[in-house]
DNA sequence: ACTATATTTCGAAACATGTCGAATAATAGT
DNA sequence: ACTATTATTCGACATGTTTCGAAATATAGT
């Protein structure tokens, strides 16, 4: 079976990694915060808000900065979010397309 | 935000557990097999097929029966699948509604 | 009762994860 | 250069997960 025929399709391994990234309550909260504040492909901080996404995403989580950094890196390695340095800060946003792909997986679509 | 806080934490917890259940490649394969063979709410084995779902779900996974049993229990504890004994076998099927709920989560719909 | 098949429970070993604090790097503004 | 802010890396420790094999349980058919 050529289950990799379509490039955009998430195979078993990549899917499992995405779910693993979301399996930690703190990481899931970070992801949800990004879902709330960022439309896919758009950087979280607008022009007038110069705060860093990384720092902001720790609000209400009660974890050390090193732990926050680690979680965000995990989300990035799993392909769920993107990050880019912007001065002192590092902006984060949800990978464009990943929400659609994961949503379709649970619909049982043969072409996620 | 005060009563939402508790509600969100519970939702967050339950969601994280669902994703954790799907974070293991073998468990994900089991779940996908159930997605393929079972429509939600319908027992996998039809009248003429008297095979057990639990035993069948181990096909092609190369894991010990005890490991398979453990994984299926995890999927059940996470609320992703249902199981019921039927004679010697234990039938498994996907929890009706869970696919819709998870699909909607990634669409950002405000839905329990 | 005995046997065969299907599934679960238990104990254990190897490995992975979440978390922290301390140290380090990157950048901006004095 | 110095300092402040932000974010990352590192080492460490406690806890959790994956997996197995052996033993136990459940059920059906003889």
């Amino acid at each position: 079976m050529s289950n990799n025929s379509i490039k955009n399709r998430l195979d078993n391994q990549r899917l499992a990694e995405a779910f693993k990234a979301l399996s930690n309550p703190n990481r899931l909260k970070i992801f949800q915060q990004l879902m709330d504040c960022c439309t896919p492909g758009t950087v979280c901080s607008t022009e007038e808000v110069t705060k860093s996404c990384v720092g902001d995403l720790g609000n209400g989580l009660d974890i050390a900065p090193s732990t926050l950094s680690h979680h965000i890196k995990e989300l990035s390695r799993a392909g769920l979010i993107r990050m880019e340095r912007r001065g002192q800060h590092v902006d984060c946003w949800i990978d464009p397309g990943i929400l659609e792909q994961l949503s379709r997986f649970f619909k049982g679509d043969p072409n996620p």
Side-chain angles (χ1 to χ4, degrees), chain A:
Chain A
M1 287 296 253
S2 57
N3 55 349
N4 313 356
S5 52
I6 293 146
K7 192 72 171 67
N8 261 359
R9 173 161 191 171
L10 296 170
D11 60 3
N12 182 270
Q13 195 69 255
R14 281 187 46 106
L15 258 180
E17 276 165 20
F19 292 139
K20 178 152 66 180
L22 298 175
S23 73
N24 177 269
N26 283 330
R27 264 193 318 255
L28 181 56
K29 279 181 196 163
I30 293 167
F31 188 74
Q32 283 184 281
Q33 263 189 262
L34 283 173
M35 280 179 79
D36 289 347
C37 82
C38 304
T39 51
T42 304
V43 174
C44 176
S45 54
T46 57
E47 277 70 30
E48 65 267 16
V49 181
T50 56
K51 289 158 145 187
S52 155
C53 261
V54 169
D56 282 359
L57 292 170
N59 288 342
L61 283 188
D62 200 33
I63 55 177
S66 56
T67 306
L68 176 64
S69 179
H70 167 253
H71 282 324
I72 289 177
K73 197 170 83 175
E74 287 296 303
L75 288 170
S76 174
R77 296 208 308 120
L80 294 172
I81 70 171
R82 304 274 179 122
M83 35 199 321
E84 190 177 298
R85 183 141 224 145
R86 195 179 186 92
Q88 268 176 308
H89 307 278
V90 172
D91 287 331
C92 306
W93 66 97
I94 290 194
D95 182 279
I98 195 67
L99 293 177
E100 175 70 17
Q101 283 177 285
L102 290 173
S103 173
R104 273 205 245 176
F105 167 76
F106 289 110
K107 281 188 176 168
D109 273 10
N111 185 9

